[in-house]
Amino acid sequence: MQTVDIRSLLKDHSLFKEEAFINGNWIQSKNTFLVNNPATDEMIANVANLGTQDAELAITAAEKALPAWRSKLAKERAQIMRKWFDLILENTQDLAKLMTLEQGKPLAEAAGEVVYGTSFVEWFAEEAKRVEGSILGITWSDKRLMVVKQPIDVCVTITPWNFPIAMITRKIAPALTAGCTIVIQPAELTPLSALALAELAKRAGIPDGVINIVTADANQSIAIGKTLCASPTVRHLSFTGSTEVGRILMEQCTPTVKKLALELGGHAPFIVFEDADIDAAVSGAMESKFRNSGQTCVCANRFYVHKKVQDVFVEKFAKALSVIKVGDGIQTGITQGPLIETAALKKVKKHVADALGKGATLVSGGKRTVECKNFYEPTILANVNSEMLITYEETFGPGAPIIPVESDEEVIKLANNSQFGLASYFLSRDIGRVWKVAEALEYGMVGVNTGLISNEVAPFGGIKQAGLGRDGSVYGMDE
Ligand code: SIN
């Protein structure tokens, strides 16, 4: 039962697709699954629920499309990618609406994600012409050694619901640019953005079979994932999601020895030293914590604040929260949308209740907002300690725990006490400390005096159990 007519909200009705996309064709299925608007609980789409045979067809389509695509000049591929970039940007408003409806993030933030997503398409289209090999030092007088970079061929990407466009473009733009073909399995909660991207790719002239999208519900996704991992034709798998699922995919890819790029769980520390610019710390905290309602892998999950500046930081941070307007992101003026589903909200509630039960102080928020079951207030907790769940489990929601600290050694030790070495942040105006702490933090990414580190130029990825490889940047092309 579909209760919202999405087409009527779009300027270009044909961007709303409920079919999967294989070999340039829109594929219907007798089985479908419902997509829900997390802000209203309304059903917004009924999408093709594919099976493993369809996944095989998608792999075959990608394999067949490969020779012609990889033998194009890099410049030709770049021109097509550039057209796709232009078309995505031209349709920003429609894409943002689709994203808000299926994912919940406010319209302005969704439009921001479209622009962020296109930055990868543009950047890799430009980079296509600069994939260079090398001539190595001479070992023998009568021979020369040469390194030539080639596409890895058929790739698969399994993408998350929190960035329904940017996580696809960040992964597939380098692959397409390099001459690979791809099968995308988008998150079952947010397939509509992915399908709209495919429609624009077709209009841009990306040949049939180069991009394929297999849509499926949670159950079928597991079976399809297994098929994609088991296929000897697929040479590379890129995944963004939880460490738990990453481990399963790694195991499933072992028999065919696939190359893997995994961007997994995070638990970012955010450190405010006593010499920090407190206003900059507050705006960094706002950017890092409340982006996408706290549902990013790089969101600050624990705030270590020096005792000398704790009171002023907490006071200013709490004041800054008053500008956040929680509600249905399709409405004007809303700056924080819902959590993606009830299970996500339950986790935030559990973390907050656990902290309060163990002696934390509630500074701000701390409960669901009344409008709909998936909305949770932006929340600050003070006097938090390492015994509390929120300091070691990823919250993926709008809860900001403040842990008072004193020495650099203590805070570095606390910050590094996590298996999830994805992102970290700190603020200090002491240049000596900046170098020392940046190098001491065991994280793939360190933001210094900022809460926002993601862009197309910088390599994105983690260490320890936060994953393997890098997305974006020249390193992403090698990946
Ligand atoms: C993520 O949450 O996985 C991605 C966040 C980003 O690109 O900044």
Side-chain angles (χ1 to χ4, degrees):
M1 182 192 61
Q2 189 179 321
T3 54
V4 176
D5 177 16
I6 294 200
R7 279 190 191 86
S8 68
L9 300 174
L10 304 180
K11 215 165 102 192
D12 181 345
H13 301 183
S14 58
L15 288 179
F16 175 66
K17 300 280 184 206
E18 294 175 297
E19 301 88 9
F21 186 70
I22 298 178
N23 203 22
N25 300 312
W26 293 103
I27 306 293
Q28 283 180 341
S29 168
K30 61 178 184 337
N31 300 318
T32 56
F33 63 100
L34 294 169
V35 178
N36 196 28
N37 178 344
T40 60
D41 244 358
E42 288 166 320
M43 300 304 166
I44 54 171
N46 217 351
V47 173
N49 195 10
L50 299 192
T52 53
Q53 283 180 343
D54 303 300
E56 299 280 7
L57 288 178
I59 296 169
T60 305
E63 191 181 17
K64 283 210 177 119
L66 187 66
W69 182 247
R70 68 174 277 165
S71 63
K72 275 191 192 301
L73 294 176
K75 190 177 166 174
E76 292 171 321
R77 286 196 295 269
Q79 280 163 351
I80 299 175
M81 297 287 286
R82 181 75 208 186
K83 269 192 210 148
W84 190 34
F85 163 80
D86 289 335
L87 283 173
I88 301 172
L89 269 191
E90 274 168 33
N91 289 282
T92 298
Q93 287 314 317
D94 278 351
L95 291 169
K97 274 184 199 153
L98 283 172
M99 196 190 301
T100 297
L101 290 166
E102 65 177 349
Q103 199 276 342
K105 65 180 70 175
L107 212 45
E109 194 174 343
E113 184 187 330
V114 176
V115 174
Y116 175 46
T118 55
S119 71
F120 297 105
V121 180
E122 181 185 44
W123 198 84
F124 283 104
E126 289 160 351
E127 197 61 11
K129 291 170 265 182
R130 283 183 283 278
V131 177
E132 287 158 2
S134 51
I135 306 284
L136 305 181
I138 299 166
T139 311
W140 301 286
S141 59
D142 59 340
K143 291 179 186 162
R144 298 289 178 269
L145 295 175
M146 192 169 72
V147 175
V148 179
K149 292 194 181 173
Q150 294 193 307
I152 194 166
D153 292 348
V154 176
C155 302
V156 158
T157 184
I158 303 180
T159 54
W161 51 262
N162 60 345
F163 288 86
I165 284 189
M167 292 309 99
I168 291 183
T169 53
R170 182 157 79 188
K171 288 176 183 299
I172 77 171
L176 296 177
T177 297
C180 302
T181 56
I182 197 133
V183 178
I184 304 166
Q185 186 182 356
E188 73 278 7
L189 299 171
T190 57
L192 305 181
S193 302
L195 296 170
L197 277 184
E199 167 65 20
L200 295 172
K202 194 172 166 70
R203 291 185 203 170
I206 295 184
D208 294 349
V210 170
I211 294 179
N212 305 277
I213 304 200
V214 288
T215 49
D217 68 6
N219 280 336
Q220 285 296 106
S221 288
I222 295 174
I224 287 179
K226 278 188 191 156
T227 303
L228 298 174
C229 289
S231 166
T233 307
V234 175
R235 306 282 287 276
H236 185 282
L237 177 115
S238 179
F239 167 71
T240 290
S242 69
T243 296
E244 205 185 346
V245 176
R247 279 193 203 106
I248 296 171
L249 294 173
M250 254 178 127
E251 240 180 272
Q252 290 176 356
C253 287
T254 303
T256 50
V257 196
K258 280 191 208 342
K259 190 163 160 36
L260 293 170
L262 303 174
E263 195 249 285
L264 308 176
H267 200 283
F270 187 106
I271 307 168
V272 183
F273 285 100
E274 73 276 24
D275 63 333
D277 173 338
I278 299 300
D279 291 326
V282 169
S283 63
M286 293 292 288
E287 281 172 335
S288 172
K289 179 69 254 181
F290 298 108
R291 180 173 170 227
N292 201 14
S293 303
Q295 302 173 111
T296 87
C297 301
V298 291
C299 273
N301 213 99
R302 27 188 184 132
F303 292 78
Y304 295 106
V305 183
H306 196 281
K307 282 185 177 160
K308 283 190 189 154
V309 293
Q310 186 192 202
D311 289 348
V312 58
F313 175 77
V314 170
E315 190 195 323
K316 289 189 172 198
F317 193 16
K319 205 166 160 201
L321 290 199
S322 61
V323 304
I324 297 182
K325 197 153 183 268
V326 183
D328 181 352
I330 209 81
Q331 289 164 16
T332 318
I334 296 299
T335 55
Q336 184 184 301
L339 291 161
I340 188 74
E341 53 188 352
T342 311
L345 185 116
K346 278 192 182 151
K347 190 168 190 197
V348 182
K349 276 173 78 175
K350 180 172 147 195
H351 280 190
V352 171
D354 172 80
L356 293 176
K358 290 177 181 161
T361 319
L362 185 65
V363 177
S364 192
K367 57 182 187 325
R368 260 176 52 182
T369 65
V370 282
E371 291 176 52
C372 160
K373 60 180 185 169
N374 292 341
F375 293 104
Y376 198 87
E377 294 175 343
T379 296
I380 298 177
L381 300 164
N383 300 314
V384 171
N385 64 49
S386 306
E387 303 299 309
M388 303 173 186
L389 265 182
I390 199 164
T391 63
Y392 55 90
E393 260 189 20
E394 194 175 21
T395 311
F396 235 61
I402 317 281
I403 303 131
V405 285
E406 268 183 306
S407 75
D408 289 20
E409 288 65 34
E410 175 198 11
V411 75
I412 289 169
K413 203 165 156 214
L414 284 167
N416 284 342
N417 188 20
S418 172
Q419 282 311 313
F420 304 114
L422 189 62
S424 57
Y425 308 84
F426 72 93
L427 288 101
S428 168
R429 287 183 279 200
D430 174 336
I431 188 72
R433 178 185 260 160
V434 164
W435 280 103
K436 192 181 89 180
V437 177
E439 289 178 12
L441 286 173
E442 295 167 359
Y443 288 84
M445 296 170 284
V446 183
V448 183
N449 293 322
T450 179
L452 200 57
I453 51 175
S454 312
N455 60 66
E456 73 279 24
V457 180
F460 189 103
I463 60 170
K464 301 199 256 185
Q465 294 182 32
L468 306 170
R470 294 293 177 265
D471 283 338
S473 80
V474 279
Y475 301 95
M477 184 69 104
D478 280 344
E479 210 62 63

